[in-house]
Amino acid sequence: MHTIFKRSVLLGSTALVGALAAFATAPAQAQMYTTGPGTYLSVEGRYLWGVGDKAKNYFYDYAGGTSSYNFDPYDTSKSAADKGFGGKVMLGYRFGNNWDVGLGVGGGWLKGKDSTFSYNESRREVEVDALVAAPNALTDHIKTTLNYVAVDFEAGYNMPIGGMSNFRVFGGVRFAYLSQKAKGSVDHALFGSTYFDYSGQRKTTFTGVGPRIGANAVLAIGSSGFNVFGGASGALLIGRYKDQRKFDFLGTNGSDGDYSYNDRSKTKIIPNVEGEIGVGYNFGGSTKVGLQIGYRGEAFFGAATKGHVIGPYDKEPSKGDYLIHGPFARLTVAFGAPAPMPAAVPPPAPAAMAAKSFIVFFDFDRSN
């Protein structure tokens, strides 16, 4: 009985160790970027719409007076970087204990259409009590581009919630660089005889780094391989914000000038949030492959400007935001999964001791 008990305990312990080893190295549940342990890669393409503040031209019109001119300012052309393409590539490793680490690089390239504005009017200017018809014409255009890049290092923990569903929380560090450029020009005809030709550029940049946290989840649809997913994250980016503009003009009356302004250059904290939702499909097999299609959006608050390219000759403290959104498609591949640990092999049971027989020889007619 004692021997049977010892063998039962030994076999039970061996089975428990094998089960734990199998659980630790079993294919993990699907997640945002990987569908199993080992190295993973995701490649994502995006179509982007920008809903940011528009760059503008700004001009001083002339209103009549008896002895001098009054300046009547108004906005002319406006342009925002409203369409473009982007993407993200992420490479990482998921461990058998449900932790993962990854490095991602993403960004976008957007531009606005060349916006043109034409303005014509006839004003009556009062000069020495005489009414004189004064035609005033203006033509200008402006074009805006926005380029940005974000680099993420993150570590996440996955919590399987049954089947192929998974909930993941993560944290890390984000580096971001945003650069918006707006170029414009103004051709202004005053009183039909004096012309001013303006041209200029405004450049607004932000370079920052800061902590980032988030969560995402995948909910499997039965055992079909399809799933729905979603995620959200937020970051606080600390860095340098610069808003600079320069423009020049040349007039037929011999006037000319060059202007350069550093409207703002300061250290700022920029909140950055993003989110996504969509549907996916995991193909399975020895190399886990997944396809995800969805919609996403992100915002950088306070990283833009509402200022003018050509306009007031003083500082403009206005600030603006970037909101970028659009559809995306993501292909994920997980490969090189670690080989499962070999199950512990129980030591062989000790062989039963064989019975021994002895033959005793006595001397003839002796007891020894």
Side-chain angles (χ1 to χ4, degrees):
M1 180 65 70
H2 182 66
T3 302
I4 295 175
F5 177 78
K6 288 196 298 182
R7 290 183 180 179
S8 300
V9 171
L10 180 61
L11 292 175
S13 302
T14 302
L16 179 60
V17 171
L20 291 175
F23 175 79
T25 58
Q29 315 305 323
Q31 66 171 48
M32 303 305 289
Y33 297 108
T34 175
T35 55
T39 303
Y40 65 87
L41 172 70
S42 73
V43 180
E44 177 181 323
R46 304 169 178 171
Y47 185 77
L48 304 174
W49 286 292
V51 187
D53 295 298
K54 294 183 177 181
K56 297 169 285 189
N57 280 339
Y58 184 87
F59 201 77
Y60 287 104
D61 190 14
Y62 290 92
T66 56
S67 59
S68 63
Y69 293 112
N70 297 319
F71 292 105
D72 181 19
Y74 60 89
D75 290 333
T76 56
S77 294
K78 300 178 182 180
S79 175
D82 54 2
K83 294 180 182 179
F85 295 91
K88 184 175 183 178
V89 177
M90 189 162 189
L91 179 66
Y93 188 86
R94 181 165 174 176
F95 302 94
N97 58 2
N98 288 331
W99 283 94
D100 64 68
V101 294
L103 178 66
V105 180
W109 302 267
L110 299 90
K111 62 181 181 179
K113 64 181 180 179
D114 193 340
S115 176
T116 301
F117 176 89
S118 295
Y119 175 80
N120 291 279
E121 71 169 359
S122 293
R123 290 186 182 274
R124 290 189 176 276
E125 306 294 350
V126 180
E127 296 181 0
V128 194
D129 298 327
L131 296 179
V132 180
N136 187 22
L138 179 147
T139 300
D140 79 330
H141 80 276
I142 189 170
K143 188 173 185 178
T144 306
T145 61
L146 169 63
N147 300 325
Y148 75 100
V149 62
V151 180
D152 297 315
F153 173 78
E154 63 184 53
Y157 183 74
N158 301 271
M159 291 171 278
I161 52 178
M164 291 297 292
S165 299
N166 185 71
F167 179 76
R168 175 177 178 260
V169 293
F170 63 89
V173 178
R174 163 166 284 191
F175 166 83
Y177 173 75
L178 300 97
S179 175
Q180 177 178 278
K181 293 181 180 179
K183 295 182 179 180
S185 66
V186 176
D187 298 318
H188 188 213
L190 178 64
F191 308 140
S193 60
T194 302
Y195 294 86
F196 294 95
D197 183 10
Y198 288 79
S199 62
Q201 172 179 294
R202 185 165 205 143
K203 184 177 181 180
T204 306
T205 63
F206 174 75
T207 305
V209 63
R212 175 173 172 258
I213 59 173
N216 48 50
V218 175
L219 180 62
I221 303 176
S223 58
S224 63
F226 287 95
N227 58 75
V228 294
F229 67 88
S233 67
L236 278 179
L237 306 176
I238 305 171
R240 199 69 180 171
Y241 175 88
K242 294 183 179 180
D243 184 25
Q244 301 168 313
R245 60 190 168 120
K246 58 181 180 180
F247 58 93
D248 58 76
F249 74 89
L250 179 64
T252 56
N253 61 352
S255 59
D256 63 82
D258 297 294
Y259 296 88
S260 180
Y261 296 97
N262 188 7
D263 285 325
R264 282 177 293 177
S265 180
K266 58 186 294 186
T267 300
K268 292 185 68 174
I269 298 178
I270 301 294
N272 168 219
V273 297
E274 61 182 322
E276 64 181 20
I277 190 171
V279 296
Y281 181 78
N282 293 321
F283 295 94
S286 57
T287 299
K288 302 293 183 180
V289 178
L291 177 64
Q292 298 176 334
I293 298 175
Y295 203 91
R296 65 181 303 278
E298 60 184 325
F300 297 86
F301 298 103
T305 181
K306 297 179 181 178
H308 300 81
V309 178
I310 299 172
Y313 304 140
D314 54 7
K315 290 187 176 183
E316 295 186 306
S318 58
K319 65 179 181 179
D321 309 318
Y322 295 119
L323 173 60
I324 304 166
H325 64 99
F328 70 91
R330 177 188 298 141
L331 181 67
T332 66
V333 181
F335 50 91
M341 296 175 59
V345 178
M353 182 176 296
K356 295 183 179 181
S357 57
F358 300 91
I359 301 176
V360 180
F361 294 93
F362 295 90
D363 289 339
F364 179 74
D365 201 21
R366 291 286 189 275
S367 63
N368 55 338

